[in-house]
Amino acid sequence: MPHIVVLGAGVIGLSSALWIQAEGHAVTIVARDFPNGSETVDAASQINYTSPWGGAHNRLVPPTTAPEEREHAMSLRTFDHMRAVHKRYPEAGITFMKGIEYLEAPSEAYRALTVEKATKQLKMQGFRLLRNEELPKGVTWGCEYDTWCVNPMVYCSFLLRRFAILGGKVLKREVRDPREIFNWKFEAGPVDTLINASGNGFGDENMFITRGQTCLVANPCPATITRQNADGSWTFSVPRNFDGGTIIGGTKEPNNWDPNPSPQVRETLLRNFAATYPQILGAEGKFTVMKDIVGRRPTRKGGMRLKTESVEGNKCIIHAYGLGGRGYELSWGVADQVAGLLTEHIPPRSSKL
Ligand SMILES: Cc1cc2nc3c(=O)[nH]c(=O)nc-3n(C[C@H](O)[C@H](O)[C@H](O)COP(=O)(O)OP(=O)(O)OC[C@H]3O[C@@H](n4cnc5c(N)ncnc54)[C@H](O)[C@@H]3O)c2cc1C
């Protein structure tokens, strides 16, 4: 049986590992970091492992270019697979709910959205334009649609457990270069195909980080709500459920390496969200803050790298990294494409998907 190594145990590595495992391959995940309960994690020590710090919700991003169209297709693939996983495994950490978008200064792509276009062309389910009286002060355009959120710790741990119970192997190691893995000895046999799901790649000069500061509060929120302000700033909520509280975000700061949350930013995020959606404050009229979070979105100029590279004769690396702020939203779409690239190298043995 062909033995494939997936380098990385973030949402991209875990989804890809499960997908190719279902096609009948023996798979080992090699990674420095693995999912575990957020309550026990020293956040600063795992700041370069992005998946625990993602929101993570799925949002409508109306596509206007060919790469955006491709991402939209991947988000739909992910949506369908999330539905199937949620139905079969209610404990997986996935919740389906309404996604609400508020925009102060919508671009043409948003303004052109009609129910017909959103439903038929973009395949968004439950889409509805909001009426003026439903919009918060300062917002000029809004919509809602059916979407999903995950509690990242619950969800990623679930993916890892599924992988292990289906026979997948894991190895906690840090590597300097993915190519070193081709020389390792594994119980499952030698490796000639490696999936590089390391988030940031290795020395890719197009990679940079986009810092995000969020605040985790205990207040429940019934929908994922995103507000894009006219000055380019954002405010959003991502309910995590499964006792995970609600994430209030967020900042998007390219090349900002500061690992420390700013108390002023926390105050601004909470104030802005409460102004947009005062119901979040509940009967007590206040937020119950659990913790501040700083994460680093693995962003790539020109978009994600999803490509096969031949190395040393007939060995190959399939790169799947640089997902920026959309790793969860596109995860199963990426996994499907990784499996497609793998098929060009090694045909699938079966399909249990
Ligand atoms: C504040 C914030 C909010 C976000 N909100 C959302 C959202 O709402 N929706 C959404 O879709 N996305 C969101 N994201 C983005 C999302 O979290 C990322 O796109 C996603 O987690 C990237 O996953 P990944 O698997 O590519 O990388 P990672 O999660 O970083 O995983 C990388 C893996 O590779 C391993 N690795 C790396 N280098 C080495 C090495 N040298 N040796 C061994 N192992 C190595 C790591 O240990 C880890 O296991 C958000 C991110 C942030 C920071």
Side-chain angles (χ1 to χ4, degrees):
M1 184 188 289
H3 176 216
I4 317 293
V5 163
V6 174
L7 173 54
V11 66
I12 297 299
L14 294 165
S15 315
S16 301
L18 270 166
W19 199 285
I20 58 183
Q21 186 185 47
E23 295 199 341
H25 301 297
V27 185
T28 302
I29 299 178
V30 173
R32 182 189 58 218
D33 312 284
F34 283 91
N36 44 26
S38 62
E39 295 77 10
T40 62
V41 173
D42 166 7
S45 75
Q46 286 203 348
I47 195 168
N48 292 316
Y49 177 31
T50 307
S51 291
W53 317 122
H57 56 172
N58 172 60
R59 289 192 46 242
L60 164 64
V61 182
T64 56
T65 60
E68 284 172 6
E69 295 279 0
R70 183 177 171 227
E71 287 197 359
H72 185 68
M74 285 183 174
S75 76
L76 295 177
R77 188 85 180 93
T78 306
F79 186 98
D80 288 344
H81 200 73
M82 286 288 188
R83 268 253 198 257
V85 175
H86 174 61
K87 199 166 166 210
R88 189 153 173 209
Y89 305 102
E91 75 281 14
I94 306 164
T95 311
F96 276 79
M97 58 175 61
K98 282 292 176 199
I100 300 175
E101 302 283 331
Y102 293 133
L103 282 85
E104 287 187 356
S107 65
E108 177 54 28
Y110 282 96
R111 278 186 279 125
L113 275 181
T114 56
V115 173
E116 166 137 349
K117 182 169 179 193
T119 317
K120 297 221 168 107
Q121 211 172 311
L122 301 181
K123 310 265 187 290
M124 300 301 298
Q125 297 172 21
F127 181 90
R128 178 174 81 84
L129 289 166
L130 299 180
R131 299 182 301 275
N132 277 344
E133 59 273 24
E134 295 177 282
L135 303 177
K137 196 162 167 255
V139 169
T140 62
W141 187 96
C143 72
E144 66 171 29
Y145 49 89
D146 297 340
T147 195
W148 53 263
C149 304
V150 299
N151 178 327
M153 300 294 191
V154 176
Y155 179 65
C156 288
S157 301
F158 162 80
L159 295 182
L160 182 60
R161 282 201 315 278
R162 285 295 308 152
F163 173 74
I165 206 155
L166 292 169
K169 304 287 178 220
V170 300
L171 202 53
K172 193 167 164 60
R173 294 272 190 288
E174 179 162 14
V175 301
R176 281 280 297 278
D177 189 304
R179 285 170 300 184
E180 62 183 91
I181 293 172
F182 292 125
N183 298 298
W184 293 2
K185 287 199 168 55
F186 292 92
E187 245 176 68
V191 174
D192 68 3
T193 309
L194 179 85
I195 316 299
N196 173 12
S198 59
N200 287 291
F202 286 82
D204 180 336
E205 60 190 23
N206 290 316
M207 284 302 300
F208 61 99
I209 56 141
T210 306
R211 181 183 185 275
Q213 180 174 334
T214 58
C215 182
L216 182 65
V217 298
N219 307 51
C221 191
T224 147
I225 301 168
T226 307
R227 177 174 177 153
Q228 299 182 49
N229 302 311
D231 65 2
S233 64
W234 297 70
T235 180
F236 59 79
S237 68
V238 187
R240 284 189 155 178
N241 298 321
F242 301 85
D243 287 330
T246 301
I247 287 284
I248 304 294
T251 69
K252 298 186 182 184
E253 306 156 79
N255 295 310
N256 183 341
W257 291 93
D258 188 352
N260 304 303
S262 147
Q264 292 79 16
V265 169
R266 178 217 274 191
E267 204 180 299
T268 307
L269 294 176
L270 297 184
R271 190 181 52 242
N272 288 351
F273 191 75
T276 296
Y277 191 76
Q279 301 91 309
I280 185 113
L281 299 175
E284 291 187 15
K286 64 178 177 91
F287 281 113
T288 303
V289 171
M290 294 167 70
K291 69 171 164 186
D292 297 301
I293 293 174
V294 173
R296 293 175 175 161
R297 300 174 180 92
T299 321
R300 189 165 182 271
K301 265 182 242 155
M304 76 182 92
R305 187 169 181 209
L306 197 44
K307 210 172 174 1
T308 305
E309 181 191 357
S310 294
V311 281
E312 297 169 30
N314 64 350
K315 296 186 176 22
C316 84
I317 300 181
I318 297 172
H319 298 285
Y321 65 84
L323 268 294
R326 304 197 74 188
Y328 283 90
E329 290 177 274
L330 309 185
S331 53
W332 292 113
V334 172
D336 188 8
Q337 297 216 0
V338 164
L341 292 171
L342 182 62
T343 304
E344 292 169 14
H345 197 63
I346 309 172
R349 291 167 53 89
S350 66
S351 183
K352 295 190 201 133
L353 284 167

